[in-house]
Amino acid sequence: MTEDFALLQAWLAQRPAAYAVAASCALLLLAWLANWLTRHILLRGLRRMLDDGSSLARDPEAAPIRIVSRLANVIPALVLALGTKAVPNLPPALVTVVENVSSAFIVLTVALALGNALNLVNVLYQRRPDAQLRPIKGYVQVLKIVVYVVAAILIVASLVDRSPLILLSGLGAMAAVLLLIFQDTLLSLVASVQLSSNDMVRIGDWIEMPQVNADGDVIDIALHTVKVQNWDKTITTIPTKRMISDSFRNWRGMRESGGRRIKRSLFIDQHSIRFLTDEERRRLDRFALLDGYLPAKEAELEAWNASLPGGERDVVNRRRVTNIGTFRAYVERYLRRHPGVHQGMTLMVRQLAPTSDGLPLELYCFANTTAWVAYEGTQSDIFDHLLAILPEFGLRVFQHPSGADMRGFGDQLRREFTGPAG
């Protein structure tokens, strides 16, 4: 066996080209063997150790095994870079090319592994309970850009076989060009820092930005974009820098307060507003919510009327109870008894300036829930009752004439002009 190997070596020594080809094939076979051992033995064992069925293990970008898999590509590249020097009779230029390409591949592999490691850091951070308050995804993306830029410089330096310091020295002249290229990135970085440091927006916040048709929950905050899932389930992507330059409404304060505002008006027909008669006052006494109101109001008005000179001579000089004032008192007491109204926040019933559409009677209060469906249910329940109870006070809701109203008016005129026989 030893004699055969010696004869083969002597035969190859007499044929340098064949010797170089055989040694190169042996080197390639060794690199393939190193790659196979790494992939099928080392990585398979590590995969069994790390694959615990968790979402982290299944993440295609941040799984720990993916980082090791990236680094495993370094081994065959190292075999080629170191073994090329041992291959005899290779041209020096070819050895240099193989070493440079192998070095560039190693740098690329390490940069990709670092990118996956940064993704893993971001995924682990998002599992913290306070991660939504201070998202770091934008900073992770900046670090990845820095890693890839440095890797690109080292790769180019390896391929051209020059020191990376020479390339870095030339970057000073390209600073203006780089600033122009990375202008959006720099602006987005500044905006991301301001959003995070000032706690302007968090993942899960309901924001409203009409200028970009965004109205929904924030689902992602990255370096360049903020994603908002609108209530119709569409997704609006907003440049991060616009969150600083443009105004937007954040409803987080409403959610944290535990109450959502109800601000809606009933438009009362002003022709239905009048003083209450004695019979109407006695009829309204049966309203439990008005217990004590009418007697106290009448006593107040009687005291005021008694102090007015000549107040007994004509009823026009007296203050009297109105149906709109009584209804306003009823609405306020109704709201204070309603189980869906927050009693610890502002609650009032007020009149606004009369308009051509009637007298606005505005309800200003807060529901004791911030959930959309429950809030709308509470608001509708309140106005259902008030619209139904309104005629009991002799009041009408203002409404523009409809087609049916105009037809009824025309029929009435026709009967008046034609008479019963017509």
Side-chain angles (χ1 to χ4, degrees), residues 160-174:
V160 300
D161 197 18
R162 292 291 186 272
S163 172
L165 297 177
I166 298 177
L167 297 178
L168 290 175
S169 63
L171 292 179
M174 299 176 61

Side-chain angles (χ1 to χ4, degrees), residues 96 112 129 131 136 146 205 234 257 263 289 327 356 362-363 419:
T96 302
L112 294 176
I136 63 170
V146 173
D205 282 355
T234 59
S257 69
K263 184 183 178 183
L289 290 178
F327 179 69
S356 58
E362 184 183 79
L363 278 65

Side-chain angles (χ1 to χ4, degrees), residues 37-55:
L37 291 174
T38 304
R39 295 277 178 190
H40 291 77
I41 296 179
L42 179 61
L43 287 183
R44 184 173 296 177
L46 289 175
R47 186 175 288 109
R48 290 176 180 176
M49 294 173 56
L50 297 175
D51 190 6
D52 56 357
S54 62
S55 59

Side-chain angles (χ1 to χ4, degrees), residues 177-242:
V177 178
L178 291 177
L179 289 176
L180 181 63
I181 294 175
F182 292 102
Q183 178 183 6
D184 291 338
T185 300
L186 294 175
L187 291 176
S188 299
L189 174 60
V190 173
S192 179
V193 171
Q194 291 182 350
L195 288 177
S196 178
S197 60
N198 296 325
D199 197 18
M200 298 173 62
V201 65
R202 306 173 187 168
I203 295 177
D205 282 355
W206 170 16
I207 68 170
E208 186 178 349
M209 202 170 185
Q211 55 269 38
V212 294
N213 296 321
D215 185 11
D217 290 335
V218 177
I219 59 175
D220 184 55
I221 301 176
L223 175 62
H224 294 92
T225 58
V226 175
K227 292 183 179 179
V228 177
Q229 185 173 41
N230 302 309
W231 300 123
D232 58 358
K233 300 306 178 183
T234 59
I235 295 178
T236 300
T237 302
I238 308 172
T240 307
K241 58 185 180 181
R242 291 202 63 177

